[in-house]
Amino acid sequence: MSSRRLFISSILSCLLFGLFAPAQESGPIFDYDSLFHPVVGKKGMVTSQEVLASQVGLDVLKQGGNAVDAAVAVGYALAVTLPKAGNLGGGGFMLVYLAGENKTVAINFREMAPAGAHRDMYLDENGEVDKNKARFSYHSVGVPGTVAGMSYALDKYGTMSLKKLLKPAAALARKGILVTYSLSADITRVRKRFEKCDATRAIFLRPDGTPWQPGEILVQKDLAWSLKQIARKGPDAFYKGKIGQRLAADMAEHGGLINMQDLAAYRVTESEPVWGEYRGHKIASMPPPSSGGVHVIQMLNILEGFPVAEMGHNSAAGLHLLAETMKPAYADRSKYLGDPDFYDVPVSGLISKDYADELRKKISQETARPSTDIGPADPLPYESTETTHYSVVDQYGNAVAVTYTLNFSFGTSLVAAGTGILLNNEMDDFSSKPGSPNAFGLLGGEANAIQPGKRPLSSMTPTMVFKDGKPMLITGSPGGSTIITAVLQIILNVVDHKMNIAEAACTPRMHHQWLPDKLRLEKGISVDTLRLLESMGHKVERTDTMGSTQSILLKDGKMFGASDPRRPGAGAAAW
Ligand code: GLY
């Protein structure tokens, strides 16, 4: 089938089986009082930021694969169809709910600092952070974890062969994908960076050096080669074999740090998720080196003591309360969060209800506390923005939530020559210098200082909410520092404000991260509300959209999916 026909038929099947999936049974599936409606399914669902990849996952589910099989196929497909965030050259986190064992596990495939990394590696001769070196150089790259993470999950919890699951991605890379308006715009946005790297330019810019245009076909021949290598040899192709050799050679040629020893030393870890409770629901989310799970739970604990539903969704009082809740959480993040293999993160203290009680007492319902009055508190003795998230649920009751990333849109914008693989700039998520914010304005200290083998602190927050022991909500989002608050608001919108999952995704969001002391509001929150917030002392700022949540809600034996409308091309595929 030609690429164009493949694309069109995928879209058609999404329309037939996914985006407008008909109700399977009689009874009120849709509530006509609702402004927005989710996609409905019964046997399987994938929500992702790129609809072709959602369809790849759904096809796996229809072939009898489980949610982990589908998640692996989607992870590789997104590397081709959503190159700004889907990846082989980055890393991330996967939460897996195993229905048979009624167990949830957290898989960590975050990048690791190479052996040659050191604490002051981004400081210039004046002791200032060299932002270009930290973000756009061969020194910005952490040892990628995605290929290892996908295989770890598949070997332990999947049922299908890697070879089979890689096929759709390899075909999309080899035959090409239709360049959409959004892909063309994404490329245009970073064109200047692409021009600096021959390997990147050769793929993502036309032969005359201009960005690919909507309607053209983007073929990724080298990426197809890499996918074929992985299909043949498994993750060893990347960490010990030909892909690794090409990557290491490219690094050596450009003075980068990652060598074959670094690749061979890469390790995936598995742990318990971090668990919380909120109004009769159990919350499972990603533990450190993500800060996401800890702070979502910390903020829910604080909010549990307030009548959130009564205060009204996006009312001035409700937004004020959220901002005051977010500030101490992000202040704590700056001090206490880092890679637990290197730093003793006080997780149980931060997520304890007693600590939340203390923090809650400091919140005034009338006035905003200036961020300068707030510092990291003392939880002891209790213990690009272009990331992307996808959620999967299968016919067996299993669920998977994956958030993975290159950090910035297209990462460093450097492709390792001969591999087609874009390299991450995750090293910028470390704290290069205490008090110096990273690209998301986030501060950090000792806990997140650079060390060889350490993983940079993340905000990625793949999350599951359980009701009566069963998964009820699978969610997550990209958005750098705003990931944590986007996930928080999805949970509040569902649990407190009783929204359906499409409404929960569509409604305007807010964000506060302590520093800078700004209450960020999306469009759609009224000017009256904004003025009330200012009168309470908030420094309000209108922002671009925040997040791109990809969620599935399980209710009444059905699956309700919503791909955030904030980013074009996202879509739920349902069966
Ligand atoms: N690179 C964004 C994050 O991991 O939070």
Side-chain angles (χ1 to χ4, degrees), residues 35-112:
L35 282 172
F36 306 103
H37 291 280
V39 170
V40 186
K42 196 150 166 53
K43 294 171 87 173
M45 182 172 279
V46 182
T47 53
S48 88
Q49 219 177 303
E50 203 291 313
V51 74
L52 280 179
S54 298
Q55 185 61 36
V56 164
L58 186 66
D59 290 344
V60 170
L61 296 179
K62 285 183 173 175
Q63 289 160 29
N66 71 12
V68 174
D69 297 322
V72 171
V74 174
Y76 279 110
L78 283 170
V80 183
T81 63
L82 189 74
K84 67 178 174 178
N87 67 80
L88 271 63
F93 304 122
M94 181 185 289
L95 223 55
V96 183
Y97 170 72
L98 301 155
E101 299 166 54
N102 193 23
K103 179 177 146 189
T104 310
V105 296
I107 299 172
N108 166 16
F109 56 97
R110 180 76 162 162
E111 297 88 333
M112 294 170 84

Side-chain angles (χ1 to χ4, degrees), residues 110 387 405 407 426 429 440 457-460 480 483:
R110 180 76 162 162
T387 299
T405 188
N407 196 19
E426 221 65 66
D429 272 351
F440 303 109
L457 181 60
S458 172
S459 297
M460 293 188 283
I483 293 174

Side-chain angles (χ1 to χ4, degrees), residues 84 135-136 384-386 406-411 425 428 439:
K84 67 178 174 178
R135 297 173 190 173
F136 301 112
S384 135
T385 62
E386 285 299 349
L406 291 166
N407 196 19
F408 285 16
S409 188
F410 301 96
N425 56 354
D428 189 58

